[in-house]
């Protein structure tokens, strides 16, 4: 039997999340979404992604360029081998069974 939690209490969400079954990456990939939205799987939970915008894209390019330049300067100073990558093709360092983006 689940414990009773008053609606709106601070513990309502953690208890609700604890008893929600997780979705695996295989289950997520087999799902058919009937809209033009993009979704990702984060810790077993399906989460909608925001649509990109020109402002977001401009900011992403500017930040990537600044990061690349800073890493190049750092490499000149101390010989480190770091590089800036965009999100495409980068493997995350979390449980791939319950995390996926498409």
């Amino acid at each position: 039997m689940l414990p009773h939690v008053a609606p709106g209490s601070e513990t309502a969400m953690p208890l609700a999340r604890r008893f929600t079954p997780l979705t695996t990456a295989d289950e997520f990939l087999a799902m058919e979404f009937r809209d033009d939205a993009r979704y990702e799987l984060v810790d077993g939970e399906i989460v909608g992604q925001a649509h990109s915008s020109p402002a977001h894209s401009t900011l992403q390019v500017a930040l990537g360029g600044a990061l690349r330049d800073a890493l190049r300067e750092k490499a000149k100073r101390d010989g480190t081998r770091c590089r800036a990558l965009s999100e495409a093709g980068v493997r995350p360092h979390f449980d791939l069974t319950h995390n996926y983006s498409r």
Side-chain angles (χ1 to χ4, degrees), residues 1-45:
M1 182 170 166
L2 299 177
H4 174 73
V5 178
S9 73
E10 291 182 21
T11 58
M13 184 52 108
L15 285 176
R17 291 185 128 194
R18 189 178 317 150
F19 296 109
T20 303
L22 299 177
T23 301
T24 66
D26 289 336
E27 292 168 334
F28 179 72
L29 291 172
M31 293 178 179
E32 290 186 30
F33 297 97
R34 299 181 189 261
D35 55 23
D36 66 344
R38 294 184 55 181
Y39 298 93
E40 61 186 332
L41 187 63
V42 178
D43 296 329
E45 189 174 340

Side-chain angles (χ1 to χ4, degrees), residues 10 12-13 36 43 45 57 69 73 85 89 98 101:
E10 291 182 21
M13 184 52 108
D36 66 344
D43 296 329
E45 189 174 340
S57 191
D69 294 346
E73 288 302 314
L85 300 173
H98 293 102
S101 180

Side-chain angles (χ1 to χ4, degrees), residues 39-94:
Y39 298 93
E40 61 186 332
L41 187 63
V42 178
D43 296 329
E45 189 174 340
I46 299 170
V47 180
Q49 295 179 327
H51 289 283
S52 59
S53 68
H56 177 268
S57 191
T58 300
L59 181 60
Q60 185 177 19
V61 169
L63 288 172
L67 179 58
R68 181 201 58 226
D69 294 346
L71 290 172
R72 282 181 180 166
E73 288 302 314
K74 182 172 176 24
K76 288 177 187 175
R77 286 192 311 271
D78 62 17
T80 56
R81 296 182 58 200
C82 295
R83 59 186 173 159
L85 300 173
S86 68
E87 68 213 52
V90 176
R91 295 258 179 211
H93 298 285
F94 45 67

